[in-house]
Amino acid sequence: MYWNEPMETMPREALQRLQLERLQHTVRRVYQNVPVYRTRMQEAGVSPEDIKTLCDVRLLPFTQKSDLRDNYPYGLFAAPQEEIVRIHASSGTTGKPIVAGYTAHDVQVWAEVVARCLGCAHITRADTVQVSYGYGLFTGGLGLHYGVEKVGAKVVPTSAGNTQRQLMLMEDLGATAIACTPSYALMLAEGLRDTGFDMSRLKLKTGVFGAEPWTEAMRDEIQKLLGIKALDIYGLTETIGPGVAMECLEAQSGLHMWEDHFMFEILNPDSGEAMPDGEVGELVITTLSKEGMPTLRYRTHDLTAVIAEPCPCGRTHRRIRRLRGRTDDMLIIRGINVFPSQIESAIVGIPGIAPRYLLVVDRVDNRDTLEVQVELAPELLSDEVRRVEALQQQVSRAIEQVIGLSVKLKLMNPGSIQRSEGKSQRVVDKRKLY
Ligand code: DLL
């Protein structure tokens, strides 16, 4: 089932012609409107006229999360501010988030790609979709919302949290599909199982799950407990949000990347060389139709591989394998991206605290937990109980403000977090997600 059959099944030659046209247009746009890109391209000795074939994308400079940080908030925007109608944001590597801007056209393209994803899940206007991704700066809630409206299905914008209410509404309003993080889906499913809920009271058929890594084992469990088909959706704020790629119900194997809007490369993360089809490398994305904040060769740090074989569903847009790790130290905790360096930026300079910390991540009852161990400075005597209690509050608040998640803070005695000779270990992740 397709949302946009002509585009989704376009012969590859035509698709590539369209990609080239859009690539050339995007490169011209950022060269003219974004000084950072122009300078980078000039330094690399490349001008928009040099992009003559799709392979010429390799001449272009990479874009990194640090570029968004260094040009915070609007430095990479390629449209005048009056044309920007929406802002979203995601975690940066320091105290400041990274910001993405959308023109009205971008918002429409986004709804279109999400609508295609919903088509992959056979969601039609006859469906009722409960969107339990967070609404707000995070792209999950509003991204799915506009896609569901585009399809003409009924959207129930519950946002994340308040599980009992979610379940009540799911039953009463007759949701046939749910969109949320896979860990939340599993939490809902196990909650229902444990209360002996009669699943025949629900009309759920499909789940659109993403924003964090998950395994085939989790998929099996969710499908079994909820009696639905669980499908994987991928995306990131820097390139649009959810809707960059999606599994189809027919194959349930690999995610179709909407190549008329996103050109992708899979590169060796160290050398930057292209990886052969089927081999795992870093996903690098160039947006082809974005106006507000196009990105040239964005280094996602996500690891995947191309599936070269055609898909039984008939879509001609190539598939990437389910995401299988990252090349950097970004963690995804309850769907929220967290960098160890954010913790550092939150605690540095707090009197009585040493800049030594360790993040211990776990999943207990399908809920991610984050314990942050932070060392007390040697000058702070641990018998100053009141002072330590005040510090406990101050440090937790500082961290929670930066990362937007509640943490369990453990103040440690001076010298007790293990030192290492080389790169210090900042994270112990006990979840097995890839
Ligand atoms: O997570 C967008 C999104 C919302 C995707 C809802 C799917 C559903 P960010 O907060 O910018 O955007 O985080 C992007 O999350 O680089 C991946 O590391 C990870 N990620 C997203 N989807 C998946 C997935 C949204 N299906 C980062 N599998 C990305 C594994 C995923 N990791």
Side-chain angles (χ1 to χ4, degrees):
M1 223 210 75
Y2 309 113
W3 161 252
N4 184 342
E5 185 166 354
M7 290 312 299
E8 293 175 50
T9 60
M10 190 180 239
R12 286 213 58 87
E13 245 174 52
L15 183 55
Q16 284 169 349
R17 269 200 307 277
L18 181 61
Q19 282 191 303
L20 179 61
E21 214 173 274
R22 290 185 172 174
L23 175 66
Q24 290 168 330
H25 181 79
T26 299
V27 172
R28 275 198 302 276
R29 181 176 185 95
V30 297
Y31 192 86
Q32 278 160 14
N33 300 339
V34 188
V36 181
Y37 278 119
R38 186 166 52 243
T39 311
R40 289 269 176 84
M41 285 176 59
Q42 283 166 345
E43 281 166 4
V46 53
S47 71
E49 294 69 46
D50 294 325
I51 308 301
K52 299 196 175 73
T53 68
L54 283 177
C55 293
D56 293 334
V57 73
R58 298 202 192 121
L59 303 172
L60 297 169
F62 290 120
T63 311
Q64 303 267 9
K65 210 182 258 283
S66 54
D67 297 315
L68 282 109
R69 178 192 65 206
D70 297 345
N71 296 286
Y72 174 87
Y74 297 142
L76 294 184
F77 283 19
Q81 285 296 334
E82 311 84 81
E83 287 181 22
I84 302 290
V85 299
R86 181 94 71 81
I87 294 291
H88 281 282
S90 174
S91 310
T93 46
T94 63
K96 299 271 192 198
I98 57 107
V99 167
Y102 303 69
T103 63
H105 175 259
D106 294 337
V107 172
Q108 279 176 24
V109 167
W110 192 10
E112 158 71 21
V113 290
V114 174
R116 289 187 200 172
C117 295
L118 298 172
C120 283
H122 292 204
I123 289 170
T124 68
R125 53 201 306 272
D127 281 289
T128 300
V129 186
Q130 187 152 331
V131 178
S132 309
Y133 286 115
Y135 278 64
L137 287 172
F138 176 56
T139 53
L142 286 165
L144 264 296
H145 186 104
Y146 276 62
V148 176
E149 283 195 348
K150 178 115 189 160
V151 165
K154 191 186 291 120
V155 60
V156 185
T158 48
S159 194
N162 201 341
T163 305
Q164 284 316 315
R165 200 157 151 270
Q166 298 267 359
L167 292 171
M168 177 188 78
L169 291 172
M170 196 184 295
E171 180 180 358
D172 295 350
L173 305 180
T176 52
I178 178 163
C180 62
T181 58
S183 55
Y184 193 58
L186 200 51
M187 199 173 104
L188 289 177
E190 293 194 341
L192 288 173
R193 179 196 59 196
D194 296 344
T195 55
F197 185 87
D198 171 12
M199 291 291 179
S200 67
R201 282 160 54 190
L202 294 182
K203 296 208 176 108
L204 273 189
K205 289 181 314 201
T206 335
V208 179
F209 303 131
E212 64 182 12
W214 53 311
T215 56
E216 280 304 318
M218 276 177 79
R219 189 207 306 265
D220 291 346
E221 193 64 12
I222 295 171
Q223 295 196 143
K224 194 174 77 200
L225 290 175
L226 288 178
I228 62 172
K229 288 284 186 191
L231 298 168
D232 197 359
I233 184 168
Y234 170 79
L236 61 161
T237 313
E238 294 87 328
T239 59
I240 211 158
V244 172
M246 172 83 189
E247 270 180 349
C248 59
L249 193 63
E250 288 80 0
Q252 259 197 335
S253 161
L255 295 86
H256 291 280
M257 185 98 179
W258 305 120
E259 293 184 83
D260 51 331
H261 294 293
F262 309 99
M263 179 174 174
F264 74 92
E265 303 165 80
I266 309 276
L267 304 181
N268 177 319
D270 301 321
S271 69
E273 291 300 312
M275 299 299 288
D277 285 354
E279 286 189 27
V280 175
E282 181 181 348
L283 178 65
V284 173
I285 302 176
T286 300
T287 60
L288 296 178
S289 53
K290 285 276 291 292
E291 295 178 343
M293 198 183 79
T295 41
L296 294 189
R297 304 191 85 198
Y298 186 72
R299 304 281 302 245
T300 66
H301 290 278
D302 288 316
L303 289 169
T304 182
V306 178
I307 301 178
E309 297 81 48
C311 185
C313 74
R315 290 181 178 83
T316 49
H317 298 240
R318 283 174 307 165
R319 286 174 292 165
I320 53 169
R321 286 204 184 288
R322 154 187 284 256
L323 284 293
R324 45 177 61 189
R326 291 193 48 95
T327 63
D328 63 1
D329 54 1
M330 186 179 96
L331 296 157
I332 306 183
I333 300 173
R334 279 176 251 144
I336 295 182
N337 304 349
V338 177
F339 287 91
S341 50
Q342 286 180 287
I343 309 284
E344 190 162 321
S345 77
I347 63 171
V348 76
I350 298 183
I353 290 294
R356 285 196 187 285
Y357 60 94
L358 181 72
L359 275 56
V360 183
V361 191
D362 205 350
R363 189 165 274 179
V364 181
D365 296 334
N366 291 309
R367 196 175 150 77
D368 291 334
T369 58
L370 171 61
E371 176 182 290
V372 183
Q373 301 180 358
V374 178
E375 260 185 35
L376 292 167
E379 61 273 15
L380 194 98
L381 294 173
S382 48
D383 57 359
E384 288 184 61
V385 177
R386 286 217 339 256
R387 172 111 172 76
V388 173
E389 277 173 2
L391 254 185
Q392 177 90 24
Q393 283 194 7
Q394 187 187 0
V395 176
S396 315
R397 222 178 299 126
I399 295 174
E400 287 169 6
Q401 259 171 19
V402 170
I403 65 171
L405 270 176
S406 57
V407 300
K408 180 174 164 218
L409 180 73
K410 220 170 162 182
L411 290 177
M412 310 289 285
N413 283 327
S416 60
I417 293 183
Q418 207 185 352
R419 270 53 174 169
S420 70
E421 304 222 320
K423 210 165 136 66
S424 32
Q425 190 192 10
R426 301 292 198 204
V427 179
V428 175
D429 195 341
K430 299 182 176 166
R431 306 169 300 174
K432 299 230 170 351
L433 295 180
Y434 291 110

